[in-house]
mmCIF file of all heavy atoms in Angstrom:
data_model
loop_
_atom_site.group_PDB
_atom_site.id
_atom_site.type_symbol
_atom_site.label_atom_id
_atom_site.label_comp_id
_atom_site.label_asym_id
_atom_site.label_seq_id
_atom_site.Cartn_x
_atom_site.Cartn_y
_atom_site.Cartn_z
ATOM 1 N N ILE A 82 4.496 -70.865 -33.257
ATOM 2 C CA ILE A 82 3.508 -71.824 -32.739
ATOM 3 C C ILE A 82 3.797 -72.138 -31.275
ATOM 4 O O ILE A 82 2.878 -72.185 -30.447
ATOM 5 C CB ILE A 82 3.503 -73.098 -33.600
ATOM 6 C CG1 ILE A 82 2.918 -72.783 -34.987
ATOM 7 C CG2 ILE A 82 2.699 -74.211 -32.937
ATOM 8 C CD1 ILE A 82 3.048 -73.900 -35.994
ATOM 9 N N ILE A 83 5.064 -72.333 -30.934
ATOM 10 C CA ILE A 83 5.414 -72.610 -29.533
ATOM 11 C C ILE A 83 5.078 -71.408 -28.655
ATOM 12 O O ILE A 83 4.642 -71.560 -27.506
ATOM 13 C CB ILE A 83 6.904 -72.996 -29.408
ATOM 14 C CG1 ILE A 83 7.148 -74.335 -30.098
ATOM 15 C CG2 ILE A 83 7.334 -73.079 -27.949
ATOM 16 C CD1 ILE A 83 8.608 -74.724 -30.189
ATOM 17 N N SER A 84 5.250 -70.188 -29.197
ATOM 18 C CA SER A 84 4.969 -68.985 -28.405
ATOM 19 C C SER A 84 3.492 -68.843 -28.057
ATOM 20 O O SER A 84 3.150 -68.095 -27.146
ATOM 21 C CB SER A 84 5.450 -67.741 -29.149
ATOM 22 O OG SER A 84 4.592 -67.428 -30.234
ATOM 23 N N LEU A 85 2.627 -69.555 -28.768
ATOM 24 C CA LEU A 85 1.206 -69.507 -28.421
ATOM 25 C C LEU A 85 0.930 -70.191 -27.086
ATOM 26 O O LEU A 85 -0.079 -69.913 -26.442
ATOM 27 C CB LEU A 85 0.375 -70.184 -29.515
ATOM 28 C CG LEU A 85 0.382 -69.524 -30.891
ATOM 29 C CD1 LEU A 85 -0.355 -70.384 -31.893
ATOM 30 C CD2 LEU A 85 -0.210 -68.138 -30.825
ATOM 31 N N PHE A 86 1.817 -71.111 -26.687
ATOM 32 C CA PHE A 86 1.559 -71.912 -25.498
ATOM 33 C C PHE A 86 2.508 -71.620 -24.341
ATOM 34 O O PHE A 86 2.099 -71.700 -23.183
ATOM 35 C CB PHE A 86 1.631 -73.402 -25.864
ATOM 36 C CG PHE A 86 0.674 -73.772 -26.959
ATOM 37 C CD1 PHE A 86 1.125 -73.964 -28.244
ATOM 38 C CD2 PHE A 86 -0.679 -73.885 -26.706
ATOM 39 C CE1 PHE A 86 0.244 -74.296 -29.257
ATOM 40 C CE2 PHE A 86 -1.575 -74.205 -27.710
ATOM 41 C CZ PHE A 86 -1.109 -74.409 -28.987
ATOM 42 N N VAL A 87 3.770 -71.353 -24.612
ATOM 43 C CA VAL A 87 4.731 -71.104 -23.531
ATOM 44 C C VAL A 87 5.623 -69.928 -23.891
ATOM 45 O O VAL A 87 6.003 -69.757 -25.038
ATOM 46 C CB VAL A 87 5.623 -72.336 -23.252
ATOM 47 C CG1 VAL A 87 4.827 -73.463 -22.642
ATOM 48 C CG2 VAL A 87 6.329 -72.816 -24.481
ATOM 49 N N VAL A 88 5.958 -69.117 -22.923
ATOM 50 C CA VAL A 88 6.914 -68.013 -23.015
ATOM 51 C C VAL A 88 6.699 -67.176 -24.282
ATOM 52 O O VAL A 88 7.646 -66.874 -25.005
ATOM 53 C CB VAL A 88 8.376 -68.532 -22.937
ATOM 54 C CG1 VAL A 88 9.297 -67.401 -22.543
ATOM 55 C CG2 VAL A 88 8.538 -69.672 -21.985
ATOM 56 N N GLY A 89 5.460 -66.806 -24.527
ATOM 57 C CA GLY A 89 5.141 -66.044 -25.732
ATOM 58 C C GLY A 89 5.783 -64.683 -25.782
ATOM 59 O O GLY A 89 6.090 -64.169 -26.854
ATOM 60 N N ILE A 90 6.023 -64.095 -24.614
ATOM 61 C CA ILE A 90 6.606 -62.759 -24.580
ATOM 62 C C ILE A 90 8.071 -62.787 -25.019
ATOM 63 O O ILE A 90 8.626 -61.772 -25.409
ATOM 64 C CB ILE A 90 6.430 -62.126 -23.185
ATOM 65 C CG1 ILE A 90 6.539 -60.619 -23.284
ATOM 66 C CG2 ILE A 90 7.395 -62.715 -22.186
ATOM 67 C CD1 ILE A 90 5.980 -59.886 -22.112
ATOM 68 N N VAL A 91 8.703 -63.971 -24.993
ATOM 69 C CA VAL A 91 10.094 -64.108 -25.428
ATOM 70 C C VAL A 91 10.164 -64.694 -26.843
ATOM 71 O O VAL A 91 10.852 -64.162 -27.722
ATOM 72 C CB VAL A 91 10.891 -64.994 -24.437
ATOM 73 C CG1 VAL A 91 12.290 -65.248 -24.944
ATOM 74 C CG2 VAL A 91 10.908 -64.370 -23.064
ATOM 75 N N LEU A 92 9.462 -65.802 -27.073
ATOM 76 C CA LEU A 92 9.566 -66.498 -28.354
ATOM 77 C C LEU A 92 8.827 -65.778 -29.487
ATOM 78 O O LEU A 92 9.221 -65.887 -30.648
ATOM 79 C CB LEU A 92 9.032 -67.931 -28.226
ATOM 80 C CG LEU A 92 9.805 -68.849 -27.290
ATOM 81 C CD1 LEU A 92 9.169 -70.229 -27.241
ATOM 82 C CD2 LEU A 92 11.248 -68.949 -27.715
ATOM 83 N N GLY A 93 7.769 -65.051 -29.163
ATOM 84 C CA GLY A 93 7.011 -64.330 -30.182
ATOM 85 C C GLY A 93 7.845 -63.298 -30.928
ATOM 86 O O GLY A 93 7.887 -63.305 -32.166
ATOM 87 N N PRO A 94 8.530 -62.392 -30.219
ATOM 88 C CA PRO A 94 9.369 -61.417 -30.927
ATOM 89 C C PRO A 94 10.509 -62.061 -31.719
ATOM 90 O O PRO A 94 10.879 -61.577 -32.792
ATOM 91 C CB PRO A 94 9.915 -60.528 -29.806
ATOM 92 C CG PRO A 94 8.908 -60.631 -28.727
ATOM 93 C CD PRO A 94 8.382 -62.037 -28.808
ATOM 94 N N ILE A 95 11.071 -63.164 -31.207
ATOM 95 C CA ILE A 95 12.127 -63.857 -31.959
ATOM 96 C C ILE A 95 11.556 -64.395 -33.268
ATOM 97 O O ILE A 95 12.197 -64.300 -34.325
ATOM 98 C CB ILE A 95 12.743 -64.981 -31.106
ATOM 99 C CG1 ILE A 95 13.467 -64.397 -29.899
ATOM 100 C CG2 ILE A 95 13.710 -65.818 -31.935
ATOM 101 C CD1 ILE A 95 13.940 -65.426 -28.901
ATOM 102 N N ALA A 96 10.344 -64.946 -33.213
ATOM 103 C CA ALA A 96 9.702 -65.454 -34.427
ATOM 104 C C ALA A 96 9.447 -64.329 -35.422
ATOM 105 O O ALA A 96 9.642 -64.494 -36.628
ATOM 106 C CB ALA A 96 8.391 -66.161 -34.068
ATOM 107 N N ILE A 97 9.038 -63.172 -34.927
ATOM 108 C CA ILE A 97 8.768 -62.026 -35.800
ATOM 109 C C ILE A 97 10.050 -61.550 -36.471
ATOM 110 O O ILE A 97 10.076 -61.276 -37.679
ATOM 111 C CB ILE A 97 8.103 -60.883 -35.000
ATOM 112 C CG1 ILE A 97 6.724 -61.314 -34.505
ATOM 113 C CG2 ILE A 97 8.000 -59.622 -35.847
ATOM 114 C CD1 ILE A 97 6.117 -60.391 -33.486
ATOM 115 N N VAL A 98 11.132 -61.464 -35.709
ATOM 116 C CA VAL A 98 12.415 -61.016 -36.264
ATOM 117 C C VAL A 98 12.907 -61.982 -37.334
ATOM 118 O O VAL A 98 13.368 -61.568 -38.409
ATOM 119 C CB VAL A 98 13.460 -60.842 -35.133
ATOM 120 C CG1 VAL A 98 14.855 -60.670 -35.692
ATOM 121 C CG2 VAL A 98 13.087 -59.663 -34.250
ATOM 122 N N LYS A 99 12.821 -63.283 -37.074
ATOM 123 C CA LYS A 99 13.270 -64.277 -38.058
ATOM 124 C C LYS A 99 12.400 -64.236 -39.317
ATOM 125 O O LYS A 99 12.903 -64.372 -40.426
ATOM 126 C CB LYS A 99 13.283 -65.667 -37.442
ATOM 127 C CG LYS A 99 14.418 -65.858 -36.454
ATOM 128 C CD LYS A 99 14.599 -67.301 -36.098
ATOM 129 C CE LYS A 99 15.752 -67.492 -35.158
ATOM 130 N NZ LYS A 99 17.052 -67.246 -35.747
ATOM 131 N N ALA A 100 11.095 -64.052 -39.157
ATOM 132 C CA ALA A 100 10.201 -63.966 -40.312
ATOM 133 C C ALA A 100 10.512 -62.728 -41.147
ATOM 134 O O ALA A 100 10.546 -62.795 -42.386
ATOM 135 C CB ALA A 100 8.743 -63.948 -39.852
ATOM 136 N N ASN A 101 10.746 -61.601 -40.487
ATOM 137 C CA ASN A 101 11.091 -60.376 -41.224
ATOM 138 C C ASN A 101 12.403 -60.534 -41.982
ATOM 139 O O ASN A 101 12.540 -60.073 -43.118
ATOM 140 C CB ASN A 101 11.168 -59.186 -40.269
ATOM 141 C CG ASN A 101 9.802 -58.707 -39.844
ATOM 142 O OD1 ASN A 101 8.820 -58.928 -40.530
ATOM 143 N ND2 ASN A 101 9.740 -58.070 -38.688
ATOM 144 N N ARG A 102 13.382 -61.194 -41.345
ATOM 145 C CA ARG A 102 14.675 -61.403 -42.014
ATOM 146 C C ARG A 102 14.517 -62.310 -43.237
ATOM 147 O O ARG A 102 15.118 -62.064 -44.277
ATOM 148 C CB ARG A 102 15.672 -61.997 -41.029
ATOM 149 C CG ARG A 102 17.028 -62.190 -41.646
ATOM 150 C CD ARG A 102 18.071 -62.582 -40.626
ATOM 151 N NE ARG A 102 19.304 -62.866 -41.323
ATOM 152 C CZ ARG A 102 20.065 -63.917 -41.087
ATOM 153 N NH1 ARG A 102 19.724 -64.763 -40.142
ATOM 154 N NH2 ARG A 102 21.156 -64.119 -41.772
ATOM 155 N N ALA A 103 13.707 -63.373 -43.109
ATOM 156 C CA ALA A 103 13.489 -64.283 -44.241
ATOM 157 C C ALA A 103 12.827 -63.555 -45.401
ATOM 158 O O ALA A 103 13.176 -63.766 -46.563
ATOM 159 C CB ALA A 103 12.625 -65.470 -43.805
ATOM 160 N N GLU A 104 11.881 -62.668 -45.100
ATOM 161 C CA GLU A 104 11.196 -61.930 -46.161
ATOM 162 C C GLU A 104 12.087 -60.848 -46.763
ATOM 163 O O GLU A 104 12.089 -60.639 -47.969
ATOM 164 C CB GLU A 104 9.902 -61.323 -45.621
ATOM 165 C CG GLU A 104 8.836 -62.361 -45.355
ATOM 166 C CD GLU A 104 7.556 -61.771 -44.803
ATOM 167 O OE1 GLU A 104 7.575 -60.616 -44.323
ATOM 168 O OE2 GLU A 104 6.534 -62.478 -44.850
ATOM 169 N N ARG A 105 12.836 -60.152 -45.930
ATOM 170 C CA ARG A 105 13.646 -59.032 -46.402
ATOM 171 C C ARG A 105 14.885 -59.495 -47.164
ATOM 172 O O ARG A 105 15.150 -59.026 -48.270
ATOM 173 C CB ARG A 105 14.035 -58.149 -45.214
ATOM 174 C CG ARG A 105 14.828 -56.922 -45.582
ATOM 175 C CD ARG A 105 15.206 -56.073 -44.361
ATOM 176 N NE ARG A 105 15.998 -56.837 -43.408
ATOM 177 C CZ ARG A 105 15.570 -57.213 -42.193
ATOM 178 N NH1 ARG A 105 14.366 -56.884 -41.797
ATOM 179 N NH2 ARG A 105 16.339 -57.906 -41.381
ATOM 180 N N GLU A 106 15.656 -60.412 -46.593
ATOM 181 C CA GLU A 106 16.939 -60.787 -47.180
ATOM 182 C C GLU A 106 16.837 -61.865 -48.248
ATOM 183 O O GLU A 106 17.631 -61.891 -49.178
ATOM 184 C CB GLU A 106 17.900 -61.261 -46.078
ATOM 185 C CG GLU A 106 18.324 -60.154 -45.142
ATOM 186 C CD GLU A 106 19.271 -60.640 -44.058
ATOM 187 O OE1 GLU A 106 19.810 -61.752 -44.190
ATOM 188 O OE2 GLU A 106 19.459 -59.898 -43.080
ATOM 189 N N PHE A 107 15.867 -62.776 -48.105
ATOM 190 C CA PHE A 107 15.814 -63.916 -49.015
ATOM 191 C C PHE A 107 14.538 -63.969 -49.845
ATOM 192 O O PHE A 107 14.332 -64.920 -50.604
ATOM 193 C CB PHE A 107 15.967 -65.218 -48.221
ATOM 194 C CG PHE A 107 17.243 -65.270 -47.440
ATOM 195 C CD1 PHE A 107 17.246 -65.105 -46.063
ATOM 196 C CD2 PHE A 107 18.453 -65.467 -48.083
ATOM 197 C CE1 PHE A 107 18.427 -65.142 -45.348
ATOM 198 C CE2 PHE A 107 19.631 -65.509 -47.372
ATOM 199 C CZ PHE A 107 19.619 -65.346 -46.004
ATOM 200 N N ASN A 108 13.658 -62.987 -49.669
ATOM 201 C CA ASN A 108 12.413 -62.912 -50.435
ATOM 202 C C ASN A 108 11.608 -64.204 -50.314
ATOM 203 O O ASN A 108 11.075 -64.727 -51.288
ATOM 204 C CB ASN A 108 12.696 -62.578 -51.902
ATOM 205 C CG ASN A 108 11.482 -62.027 -52.600
ATOM 206 O OD1 ASN A 108 10.572 -61.512 -51.951
ATOM 207 N ND2 ASN A 108 11.457 -62.136 -53.918
ATOM 208 N N THR A 109 11.550 -64.740 -49.090
ATOM 209 C CA THR A 109 10.809 -65.959 -48.803
ATOM 210 C C THR A 109 9.615 -65.602 -47.941
ATOM 211 O O THR A 109 9.747 -64.887 -46.952
ATOM 212 C CB THR A 109 11.710 -66.965 -48.047
ATOM 213 O OG1 THR A 109 12.857 -67.218 -48.840
ATOM 214 C CG2 THR A 109 10.988 -68.261 -47.784
ATOM 215 N N SER A 110 8.449 -66.098 -48.292
ATOM 216 C CA SER A 110 7.243 -65.803 -47.532
ATOM 217 C C SER A 110 7.312 -66.473 -46.163
ATOM 218 O O SER A 110 7.568 -67.671 -46.061
ATOM 219 C CB SER A 110 6.014 -66.298 -48.293
ATOM 220 O OG SER A 110 4.858 -66.055 -47.527
ATOM 221 N N ALA A 111 7.082 -65.698 -45.109
ATOM 222 C CA ALA A 111 7.105 -66.210 -43.741
ATOM 223 C C ALA A 111 5.916 -65.658 -42.964
ATOM 224 O O ALA A 111 6.030 -65.293 -41.792
ATOM 225 C CB ALA A 111 8.420 -65.849 -43.068
ATOM 226 N N THR A 112 4.772 -65.614 -43.595
ATOM 227 C CA THR A 112 3.578 -65.015 -43.002
ATOM 228 C C THR A 112 3.114 -65.784 -41.773
ATOM 229 O O THR A 112 2.718 -65.174 -40.772
ATOM 230 C CB THR A 112 2.449 -64.962 -44.044
ATOM 231 O OG1 THR A 112 2.942 -64.291 -45.198
ATOM 232 C CG2 THR A 112 1.241 -64.244 -43.506
ATOM 233 N N VAL A 113 3.161 -67.112 -41.823
ATOM 234 C CA VAL A 113 2.688 -67.910 -40.690
ATOM 235 C C VAL A 113 3.516 -67.622 -39.442
ATOM 236 O O VAL A 113 2.977 -67.446 -38.350
ATOM 237 C CB VAL A 113 2.725 -69.418 -41.046
ATOM 238 C CG1 VAL A 113 2.367 -70.260 -39.837
ATOM 239 C CG2 VAL A 113 1.798 -69.716 -42.190
ATOM 240 N N GLY A 114 4.836 -67.556 -39.599
ATOM 241 C CA GLY A 114 5.697 -67.261 -38.460
ATOM 242 C C GLY A 114 5.447 -65.879 -37.891
ATOM 243 O O GLY A 114 5.466 -65.682 -36.676
ATOM 244 N N LYS A 115 5.205 -64.930 -38.792
ATOM 245 C CA LYS A 115 4.971 -63.559 -38.340
ATOM 246 C C LYS A 115 3.637 -63.447 -37.583
ATOM 247 O O LYS A 115 3.571 -62.843 -36.512
ATOM 248 C CB LYS A 115 4.976 -62.617 -39.543
ATOM 249 C CG LYS A 115 5.086 -61.166 -39.165
ATOM 250 C CD LYS A 115 5.047 -60.262 -40.365
ATOM 251 C CE LYS A 115 6.268 -60.450 -41.239
ATOM 252 N NZ LYS A 115 6.307 -59.500 -42.342
ATOM 253 N N VAL A 116 2.593 -64.042 -38.124
ATOM 254 C CA VAL A 116 1.268 -63.948 -37.495
ATOM 255 C C VAL A 116 1.250 -64.684 -36.161
ATOM 256 O O VAL A 116 0.785 -64.143 -35.150
ATOM 257 C CB VAL A 116 0.180 -64.502 -38.451
ATOM 258 C CG1 VAL A 116 -1.148 -64.664 -37.742
ATOM 259 C CG2 VAL A 116 0.032 -63.590 -39.649
ATOM 260 N N THR A 117 1.756 -65.924 -36.129
ATOM 261 C CA THR A 117 1.770 -66.651 -34.860
ATOM 262 C C THR A 117 2.707 -65.993 -33.853
ATOM 263 O O THR A 117 2.443 -66.045 -32.651
ATOM 264 C CB THR A 117 2.160 -68.130 -35.073
ATOM 265 O OG1 THR A 117 3.416 -68.192 -35.759
ATOM 266 C CG2 THR A 117 1.103 -68.880 -35.847
ATOM 267 N N GLY A 118 3.781 -65.373 -34.338
ATOM 268 C CA GLY A 118 4.665 -64.635 -33.436
ATOM 269 C C GLY A 118 3.959 -63.461 -32.787
ATOM 270 O O GLY A 118 4.104 -63.219 -31.585
ATOM 271 N N TRP A 119 3.188 -62.711 -33.582
ATOM 272 C CA TRP A 119 2.436 -61.583 -33.018
ATOM 273 C C TRP A 119 1.378 -62.052 -32.032
ATOM 274 O O TRP A 119 1.199 -61.471 -30.954
ATOM 275 C CB TRP A 119 1.787 -60.747 -34.121
ATOM 276 C CG TRP A 119 2.710 -59.727 -34.697
ATOM 277 C CD1 TRP A 119 3.262 -59.720 -35.944
ATOM 278 C CD2 TRP A 119 3.213 -58.559 -34.045
ATOM 279 N NE1 TRP A 119 4.071 -58.629 -36.101
ATOM 280 C CE2 TRP A 119 4.064 -57.890 -34.955
ATOM 281 C CE3 TRP A 119 3.032 -58.022 -32.778
ATOM 282 C CZ2 TRP A 119 4.726 -56.718 -34.621
ATOM 283 C CZ3 TRP A 119 3.698 -56.843 -32.457
ATOM 284 C CH2 TRP A 119 4.528 -56.215 -33.384
ATOM 285 N N ILE A 120 0.662 -63.112 -32.393
ATOM 286 C CA ILE A 120 -0.378 -63.619 -31.479
ATOM 287 C C ILE A 120 0.262 -64.133 -30.200
ATOM 288 O O ILE A 120 -0.232 -63.876 -29.093
ATOM 289 C CB ILE A 120 -1.214 -64.714 -32.179
ATOM 290 C CG1 ILE A 120 -2.018 -64.101 -33.328
ATOM 291 C CG2 ILE A 120 -2.152 -65.399 -31.200
ATOM 292 C CD1 ILE A 120 -2.712 -65.113 -34.202
ATOM 293 N N GLY A 121 1.381 -64.857 -30.313
ATOM 294 C CA GLY A 121 2.087 -65.341 -29.125
ATOM 295 C C GLY A 121 2.598 -64.209 -28.260
ATOM 296 O O GLY A 121 2.570 -64.289 -27.025
ATOM 297 N N THR A 122 3.085 -63.147 -28.905
ATOM 298 C CA THR A 122 3.557 -61.980 -28.151
ATOM 299 C C THR A 122 2.412 -61.331 -27.385
ATOM 300 O O THR A 122 2.556 -60.966 -26.208
ATOM 301 C CB THR A 122 4.216 -60.959 -29.097
ATOM 302 O OG1 THR A 122 5.293 -61.592 -29.787
ATOM 303 C CG2 THR A 122 4.714 -59.746 -28.344
ATOM 304 N N ILE A 123 1.282 -61.192 -28.026
ATOM 305 C CA ILE A 123 0.118 -60.581 -27.368
ATOM 306 C C ILE A 123 -0.358 -61.455 -26.207
ATOM 307 O O ILE A 123 -0.612 -60.957 -25.101
ATOM 308 C CB ILE A 123 -1.004 -60.322 -28.386
ATOM 309 C CG1 ILE A 123 -0.569 -59.224 -29.367
ATOM 310 C CG2 ILE A 123 -2.310 -59.967 -27.697
ATOM 311 C CD1 ILE A 123 -1.479 -59.064 -30.570
ATOM 312 N N PHE A 124 -0.472 -62.775 -26.441
ATOM 313 C CA PHE A 124 -0.864 -63.677 -25.355
ATOM 314 C C PHE A 124 0.146 -63.636 -24.219
ATOM 315 O O PHE A 124 -0.231 -63.630 -23.041
ATOM 316 C CB PHE A 124 -1.006 -65.112 -25.862
ATOM 317 C CG PHE A 124 -2.266 -65.382 -26.634
ATOM 318 C CD1 PHE A 124 -2.424 -66.588 -27.280
ATOM 319 C CD2 PHE A 124 -3.289 -64.456 -26.724
ATOM 320 C CE1 PHE A 124 -3.572 -66.857 -28.000
ATOM 321 C CE2 PHE A 124 -4.437 -64.707 -27.434
ATOM 322 C CZ PHE A 124 -4.584 -65.921 -28.073
#
């Protein structure tokens, strides 16, 4: 969410990595973090 407004090129990929780790290692849904991370990265 923060990456949508400031420093999206830095915070977006970090959000994506953390969301992937939560889904892969702990089987926890992190779709919101992944989607907003991608949108922040693109912006």
